[in-house]
Amino acid sequence: MSRLAPFCISFVLLAVLVAAETRCGGAEIRLRAECSTENAIITLGDLVDLRCDSTAEAERLARISLFPAPAAGMRRFVTRREIEDMLLIRGIDLINHEFRGARSVLVVGKEPRRETSAVVRVASASPRLADKRLGEALSEYLARSSDEPWKINFQLDEDTAKWIAAAQTLSIRGSEPPAAGRQCFEVTLQVADKTKTVDVVADISLAPLVAVPARPIARGTRLDEADLVLQRVDESMATAGCIRRIEDLVGKEASRALAPRKPISQDSVSEPVLVHRGDVVTVIVRSPGFRVRTQARARDDGARGELVAVESLPDRRTYFAQVSGVREVEVLATPVTVNAPKATPNQG
């Protein structure tokens, strides 16, 4: 045997070992003849069967995205060479991988699977229920950040309303701290086994300030500034016709008993009665150039500015006067012009 024979045998064995080492960690990529998928993106795992020594490596290769799936009912042929080029573009070294199987793959698009249970429940949901559920959830979310009674206005499109009404649970997350103005909220919905997130834009404002009694007030009580405070009221309290300024109530009289912390309506207060029936009142008679004071007896109750009948004390003559103060009325006298008789010429 030649002296070179042992060296040749060793070289061959080394080459076999190097080739075996090179194949270690590689994958056998066997193309399928046809692929049918409902996914939006075709991955390598959709087109081929992978055989690898490492399960993790096989999963990594299978997840590689290649191209958008054809529309439902449409077809596309993808050749082995096209797949190789796509993998090279994505940085996959093909030296260690071996391609087998078909020369091309027929890809058929399918209609995405519909979640029947969720769709049925969403379709039958009530928009009014959606408004109610979202309103309560937003109010609860805002209440966690502020004690103020916020006023919330929003409008839901039909699709969003259906999802909100059908959701088993919903949670709110705001993009910024609660403040008056327009804000965007992220609403996460759980419908059956599906989680859906929608954005809702709402106009947030503080409820109006109205005047309310600071304590119980009995009927007939004349209101003072110390009896009143300003308070914000939520939508559950009637605010139509309620008085919003304390100064508009000071000096007025409660027409009925007023409960504390409840808005005061226009018809629950009145001007105080300054003149009562049977009172002896001061009558001020005004006329350009003079002013006369006398006394009379009131025959009616009256508030400031109202006309009441009064009776003169000496002769009990009745006339009307306007209430101007506490036990005080005024009469505006109209001056009477007396025309002098015309002179007649002397007759001789």
Side-chain angles (χ1 to χ4, degrees):
M1 180 180 295
S2 172
R3 292 182 178 181
L4 296 176
F7 294 100
C8 292
I9 295 172
S10 299
F11 179 78
V12 171
L13 291 174
L14 179 61
V16 171
L17 290 174
V18 170
E21 182 67 24
T22 302
R23 292 289 301 151
C24 183
E28 180 184 296
I29 303 175
R30 184 175 294 273
L31 273 67
R32 301 168 184 159
E34 183 176 334
C35 163
S36 179
T37 181
E38 60 190 19
N39 298 328
I41 300 296
I42 299 298
T43 64
L44 183 63
D46 294 326
L47 304 179
V48 304
D49 294 318
L50 292 164
R51 295 180 182 177
C52 295
D53 295 335
S54 169
T55 303
E57 177 66 9
E59 292 176 351
R60 183 184 73 84
L61 292 172
R63 288 195 299 267
I64 297 174
S65 299
L66 299 180
F67 56 88
M74 302 299 291
R75 298 183 174 195
R76 173 181 174 179
F77 281 96
V78 185
T79 65
R80 179 187 297 181
R81 179 60 180 272
E82 288 177 317
I83 296 174
E84 291 175 350
D85 290 344
M86 294 177 194
L87 292 175
L88 287 172
I89 291 173
R90 287 157 178 76
I92 304 300
D93 186 357
L94 300 181
I95 294 178
N96 295 333
H97 303 309
E98 182 180 1
F99 281 83
R100 293 178 178 273
R103 302 297 301 180
S104 64
V105 183
L106 172 62
V107 183
V108 180
K110 290 178 60 177
E111 189 73 27
R113 180 175 59 88
R114 297 185 179 275
E115 300 181 38
T116 307
S117 60
V119 171
V120 170
R121 296 163 80 175
V122 167
S124 61
S126 165
R128 185 175 298 179
L129 174 61
D131 289 344
K132 180 176 183 295
R133 293 191 67 190
L134 181 60
E136 291 175 349
L138 286 173
S139 296
E140 182 179 344
Y141 169 79
L142 293 172
R144 290 197 296 266
S145 303
S146 171
D147 293 332
E148 299 285 4
W150 295 95
K151 183 178 179 181
I152 308 168
N153 287 318
F154 57 84
Q155 284 190 334
L156 298 175
D157 59 68
E158 184 178 355
D159 183 63
T160 302
K162 288 177 180 178
W163 281 103
I164 290 176
Q168 282 80 46
T169 61
L170 68 159
S171 59
I172 306 290
R173 188 175 70 175
S175 58
E176 54 190 89
R182 178 161 291 191
Q183 285 191 285
C184 182
F185 297 91
E186 183 182 276
V187 184
T188 302
L189 311 169
Q190 186 69 39
V191 182
D193 58 347
K194 181 178 179 62
T195 300
K196 183 177 179 66
T197 300
V198 297
D199 290 331
V200 174
V201 177
D203 289 314
I204 310 298
S205 59
L206 285 172
L209 286 168
V210 299
V212 298
R215 57 178 180 79
I217 295 178
R219 178 182 177 181
T221 302
R222 188 174 298 182
L223 300 178
D224 188 75
E225 189 173 353
D227 300 324
L228 306 164
V229 293
L230 291 176
Q231 174 181 297
R232 296 193 186 277
V233 294
D234 57 31
E235 291 299 305
S236 64
M237 304 177 72
T239 58
C242 293
I243 300 173
R244 301 194 177 189
R245 301 195 310 168
I246 289 178
E247 52 266 35
D248 293 340
L249 287 169
V250 172
K252 292 192 175 181
E253 191 173 278
S255 303
R256 56 172 177 260
L258 303 177
R261 301 294 175 176
K262 298 295 183 182
I264 301 174
S265 60
Q266 296 281 1
D267 60 0
S268 62
V269 293
S270 60
E271 292 293 338
V273 175
L274 302 179
V275 172
H276 293 85
R277 178 184 175 86
D279 285 347
V280 174
V281 297
T282 299
V283 182
I284 301 174
V285 182
R286 298 180 185 274
S287 185
F290 71 91
R291 175 179 174 181
V292 177
R293 298 170 68 93
T294 186
Q295 289 187 320
R297 189 178 301 278
R299 300 185 62 181
D300 298 313
D301 294 339
R304 186 182 300 275
E306 293 182 340
L307 286 177
V308 295
V310 295
E311 183 183 81
S312 66
L313 298 180
D315 55 10
R316 304 188 67 177
R317 181 173 60 89
T318 300
Y319 54 94
F320 288 95
Q322 186 178 50
V323 178
S324 58
V326 178
R327 296 185 180 181
E328 181 182 275
V329 297
E330 289 187 355
V331 175
L332 182 60
T334 303
V336 178
T337 302
V338 178
N339 295 324
K342 293 183 179 181
T344 57
N346 293 329
Q347 294 182 353

Short mmCIF file of all heavy atoms in Angstrom, two decimals, residues 2 18 66 94 98 104 118 123 134 161 184 194 200 209 216-217 242 259 267 271 308 314 326:
data_model
loop_
_atom_site.label_atom_id
_atom_site.label_comp_id
_atom_site.label_asym_id
_atom_site.label_seq_id
_atom_site.Cartn_x
_atom_site.Cartn_y
_atom_site.Cartn_z
N SER A 2 0.48 2.21 -0.75
CA SER A 2 1.24 3.44 -0.86
C SER A 2 1.25 4.16 0.49
O SER A 2 0.33 4.02 1.31
CB SER A 2 0.64 4.34 -1.93
OG SER A 2 1.27 5.60 -1.89
N VAL A 18 -16.68 16.79 8.62
CA VAL A 18 -16.99 18.22 8.43
C VAL A 18 -18.36 18.39 7.80
O VAL A 18 -19.15 19.23 8.19
CB VAL A 18 -15.90 18.90 7.56
CG1 VAL A 18 -16.34 20.29 7.16
CG2 VAL A 18 -14.59 18.93 8.31
N LEU A 66 -43.77 35.76 4.91
CA LEU A 66 -43.28 35.83 3.54
C LEU A 66 -44.03 36.85 2.68
O LEU A 66 -43.42 37.73 2.10
CB LEU A 66 -43.37 34.44 2.90
CG LEU A 66 -42.53 33.34 3.57
CD1 LEU A 66 -42.71 32.03 2.83
CD2 LEU A 66 -41.06 33.73 3.64
N LEU A 94 -29.10 29.79 3.69
CA LEU A 94 -29.68 28.55 3.16
C LEU A 94 -28.66 27.43 3.00
O LEU A 94 -29.02 26.31 2.58
CB LEU A 94 -30.34 28.83 1.80
CG LEU A 94 -31.47 29.87 1.83
CD1 LEU A 94 -32.05 30.01 0.43
CD2 LEU A 94 -32.55 29.48 2.82
N GLU A 98 -31.89 22.22 3.42
CA GLU A 98 -32.09 21.46 2.19
C GLU A 98 -33.55 21.51 1.80
O GLU A 98 -34.44 21.21 2.60
CB GLU A 98 -31.65 20.01 2.40
CG GLU A 98 -31.79 19.15 1.15
CD GLU A 98 -31.34 17.72 1.38
OE1 GLU A 98 -30.96 17.42 2.53
OE2 GLU A 98 -31.40 16.94 0.43
N SER A 104 -43.35 23.90 -6.65
CA SER A 104 -44.14 25.11 -6.39
C SER A 104 -45.30 24.75 -5.49
O SER A 104 -45.70 23.59 -5.39
CB SER A 104 -44.64 25.74 -7.70
OG SER A 104 -45.53 24.87 -8.35
N ALA A 118 -70.16 35.54 19.35
CA ALA A 118 -69.98 36.96 19.61
C ALA A 118 -70.78 37.79 18.64
O ALA A 118 -71.40 38.78 19.01
CB ALA A 118 -68.50 37.32 19.54
N ALA A 123 -75.02 41.61 17.42
CA ALA A 123 -76.06 42.07 16.49
C ALA A 123 -77.36 42.36 17.21
O ALA A 123 -78.14 43.21 16.79
CB ALA A 123 -76.27 41.02 15.41
N LEU A 134 -71.54 52.49 28.98
CA LEU A 134 -70.34 53.30 28.82
C LEU A 134 -70.39 54.53 29.71
O LEU A 134 -69.39 54.92 30.31
CB LEU A 134 -70.16 53.70 27.36
CG LEU A 134 -68.91 54.54 27.07
CD1 LEU A 134 -67.64 53.78 27.43
CD2 LEU A 134 -68.87 54.95 25.61
N ALA A 161 -71.20 50.65 19.44
CA ALA A 161 -72.31 50.48 20.38
C ALA A 161 -72.68 49.02 20.54
O ALA A 161 -72.95 48.55 21.66
CB ALA A 161 -73.51 51.29 19.91
N CYS A 184 -59.95 61.57 24.87
CA CYS A 184 -60.06 60.25 24.24
C CYS A 184 -59.85 59.18 25.30
O CYS A 184 -58.92 59.26 26.10
CB CYS A 184 -59.03 60.11 23.12
SG CYS A 184 -59.13 58.53 22.24
N LYS A 194 -63.15 36.76 23.04
CA LYS A 194 -62.44 37.76 22.25
C LYS A 194 -62.28 39.05 23.05
O LYS A 194 -63.21 39.50 23.72
CB LYS A 194 -63.19 38.05 20.95
CG LYS A 194 -62.50 39.07 20.05
CD LYS A 194 -63.28 39.26 18.77
CE LYS A 194 -62.61 40.30 17.87
NZ LYS A 194 -61.27 39.88 17.45
N VAL A 200 -62.97 55.91 22.33
CA VAL A 200 -64.19 56.71 22.44
C VAL A 200 -63.79 58.14 22.80
O VAL A 200 -63.04 58.35 23.75
CB VAL A 200 -65.14 56.14 23.52
CG1 VAL A 200 -66.32 57.07 23.74
CG2 VAL A 200 -65.61 54.76 23.13
N LEU A 209 -72.74 75.08 38.97
CA LEU A 209 -72.90 75.49 40.37
C LEU A 209 -74.28 76.09 40.56
O LEU A 209 -74.72 76.92 39.77
CB LEU A 209 -71.83 76.50 40.76
CG LEU A 209 -70.41 75.98 40.97
CD1 LEU A 209 -69.43 77.14 41.06
CD2 LEU A 209 -70.33 75.14 42.22
N PRO A 216 -81.47 73.36 57.04
CA PRO A 216 -82.91 73.38 56.79
C PRO A 216 -83.48 74.79 57.01
O PRO A 216 -83.15 75.47 57.98
CB PRO A 216 -83.47 72.40 57.83
CG PRO A 216 -82.31 71.53 58.19
CD PRO A 216 -81.09 72.40 58.09
N ILE A 217 -84.34 75.24 56.11
CA ILE A 217 -84.93 76.58 56.18
C ILE A 217 -86.45 76.45 56.19
O ILE A 217 -87.03 75.81 55.31
CB ILE A 217 -84.47 77.45 55.00
CG1 ILE A 217 -82.96 77.68 55.08
CG2 ILE A 217 -85.21 78.77 54.96
CD1 ILE A 217 -82.38 78.47 53.94
N CYS A 242 -83.41 76.59 38.41
CA CYS A 242 -82.74 76.76 39.70
C CYS A 242 -81.89 78.03 39.69
O CYS A 242 -81.37 78.44 38.66
CB CYS A 242 -81.86 75.55 40.02
SG CYS A 242 -82.80 74.05 40.29
N ALA A 259 -84.98 72.11 51.86
CA ALA A 259 -84.09 71.07 52.40
C ALA A 259 -82.63 71.45 52.13
O ALA A 259 -82.33 72.05 51.11
CB ALA A 259 -84.41 69.72 51.77
N ASP A 267 -89.62 79.16 41.92
CA ASP A 267 -90.95 79.19 42.55
C ASP A 267 -90.94 78.82 44.03
O ASP A 267 -91.98 78.77 44.67
CB ASP A 267 -91.92 78.29 41.80
CG ASP A 267 -91.46 76.83 41.78
OD1 ASP A 267 -90.39 76.53 42.35
OD2 ASP A 267 -92.17 76.00 41.19
N GLU A 271 -90.43 87.46 46.96
CA GLU A 271 -90.06 88.70 47.65
C GLU A 271 -90.71 88.72 49.03
O GLU A 271 -91.86 88.28 49.19
CB GLU A 271 -90.53 89.91 46.84
CG GLU A 271 -89.81 90.09 45.52
CD GLU A 271 -88.34 90.44 45.69
OE1 GLU A 271 -87.97 90.96 46.77
OE2 GLU A 271 -87.56 90.18 44.76
N VAL A 308 -101.10 97.83 47.14
CA VAL A 308 -101.99 97.35 48.21
C VAL A 308 -103.03 98.43 48.50
O VAL A 308 -102.80 99.63 48.27
CB VAL A 308 -101.21 97.02 49.49
CG1 VAL A 308 -100.28 95.86 49.28
CG2 VAL A 308 -100.44 98.24 50.00
N PRO A 314 -108.27 109.05 59.46
CA PRO A 314 -109.31 110.00 59.88
C PRO A 314 -110.69 109.68 59.31
O PRO A 314 -111.69 109.64 60.04
CB PRO A 314 -108.82 111.34 59.36
CG PRO A 314 -107.34 111.15 59.15
CD PRO A 314 -107.20 109.74 58.75
N VAL A 326 -90.46 98.45 54.65
CA VAL A 326 -91.14 97.80 55.76
C VAL A 326 -92.17 98.76 56.33
O VAL A 326 -91.84 99.87 56.77
CB VAL A 326 -90.13 97.38 56.84
CG1 VAL A 326 -90.85 96.74 58.03
CG2 VAL A 326 -89.09 96.43 56.26
#
